[in-house]
Amino acid sequence: MSSQNRKPFTQLKRMMLIINPVSGRRTSLRFLPDIIRIFTENDYVVSVFPTGKSGDATEFARLYSAEYDIVVSIGGDGTLNETITGIILGGSRTPIGYIPSGSTNDFASCHGISSDMLTAAMNIVNGSPKQIDIGKFGDNFFSYVSAFGAFSWLSYTTSQNLKNVLGHSAYIIDAVKDLPKLKSYRLKFFDGDFIYEGDYIFGAVCNSTSVAGTFTLPTDMVDTSDGKFEVLLVHKPQSLIDWQSILTGIFTQDYSSYFLDLFQTESLRIEAPANLDWSLDGERGHGKSSLDFKILTKRITLIS
């Protein structure tokens, strides 16, 4: 765009660009100049906020997001989670855009956000707003999943260096290595109408069609702005045949197996072991003996 065609400075839109420079394979740094060029050529004044440690994106968004017309998060699902958390804690209603550069990017898969960073940037420029629900887990928030048990720990225990080198394969390597960690947990779930109680090896409270790049929920069931969670529970198997039933059901989206529970709810209370860790959008969340899940209906405006 030539200088003659540029809008006056007072008419330009203000963009807060939060970037995790070590996410994925550090590709965000390589594409950052082109991303900024795309935005500046489309009438944005861009302020870049690079994160240096966990929690930075939350603090940036909490303090400053209300001052901008849009907040764009570049990183993995964990960086996006921090950005959304900061917007909520700061009481801001500023729309967000997402440019995924992580290793799995379930949120992007669910919302049809391109894995090509420059395409994702252009789609933010040309995109439309849609409101999405956000989950609340105690005092924490999640954009697409809160999970416990089998393989849910991989996203926050797999080393960043291994993820940078191998991408999603790093999770598979760690999953095989950590098979001895698989064990069951005694939990009780209250959704207002029913009580689910048993020994479970995995559970997910989610608002997404894709979980950990492995579990896929039916697209005709998941509506990310309907004020409801989807809850998937996997009972403890007793034999290899039970394992086959579980895996077949998950990968074919046939949840009729005795070992699988799938239901929707607007709120959920869980009684669980106090030391049971949870994964919130891929980041560690510490549990308690009693947990309340609530949904913040259409709390975030996503440009995509």
Side-chain angles (χ1 to χ4, degrees), residues 28-239:
S28 57
L29 290 178
R30 178 156 52 95
F31 287 105
L32 183 59
D34 289 326
I35 291 171
I36 293 176
R37 176 184 53 78
I38 288 172
F39 291 139
T40 56
E41 288 181 349
N42 286 275
D43 301 327
Y44 284 97
V45 176
V46 181
S47 300
V48 180
F49 292 74
T51 64
K53 62 182 184 304
S54 176
D56 278 354
T58 294
E59 194 67 358
F60 293 154
R62 183 183 70 85
L63 292 173
Y64 306 117
S65 61
E67 301 175 11
Y68 291 84
D69 297 301
I70 186 171
V71 176
V72 173
S73 175
I74 303 180
D77 290 334
T79 304
L80 178 66
N81 173 282
E82 286 196 15
T83 302
I84 289 174
T85 296
I87 288 174
I88 294 174
L89 292 179
S92 169
R93 291 283 175 174
T94 303
I96 69 167
Y98 181 39
I99 300 178
S101 65
S103 305
T104 301
N105 300 316
D106 285 307
F107 183 91
S109 298
C110 177
H111 292 280
I113 297 173
S114 176
S115 59
D116 179 87
M117 299 182 69
L118 300 185
T119 300
M122 282 301 305
N123 288 341
I124 292 172
V125 170
N126 300 314
S128 301
K130 66 175 180 179
Q131 293 178 306
I132 61 172
D133 300 338
I134 297 298
K136 186 176 183 183
F137 167 96
D139 295 326
N140 299 304
F141 303 95
F142 58 96
S143 63
Y144 75 94
V145 69
S146 177
F148 72 87
F151 310 125
S152 64
W153 67 82
L154 292 176
S155 53
Y156 57 76
T157 59
T158 303
S159 76
Q160 186 64 57
N161 288 337
L162 191 62
K163 289 189 283 188
N164 288 344
V165 172
L166 299 177
H168 189 260
S169 300
Y171 295 112
I172 298 175
I173 292 173
D174 261 16
V176 173
K177 176 173 64 71
D178 290 338
L179 279 176
K181 289 184 179 179
L182 290 182
K183 60 181 180 180
S184 62
Y185 303 89
R186 189 75 180 178
L187 290 94
K188 184 182 291 188
F189 298 80
F190 306 84
D191 77 340
D193 296 317
F194 299 97
I195 297 176
Y196 299 81
E197 183 176 11
D199 296 315
Y200 301 97
I201 62 167
F202 176 83
V205 182
C206 47
N207 187 38
S208 173
T209 56
S210 177
V211 179
T214 302
F215 301 95
T216 303
L217 300 184
T219 56
D220 60 351
M221 178 183 190
V222 178
D223 180 344
T224 58
S225 61
D226 64 355
K228 296 179 181 178
F229 294 117
E230 284 70 44
V231 182
L232 174 63
L233 304 174
V234 181
H235 291 262
K236 177 184 178 181
Q238 302 296 330
S239 66

Side-chain angles (χ1 to χ4, degrees), residues 256-267:
S256 61
S257 168
Y258 167 80
F259 296 96
L260 300 174
D261 292 328
L262 177 62
F263 61 95
Q264 292 180 305
T265 184
E266 296 177 0
S267 63

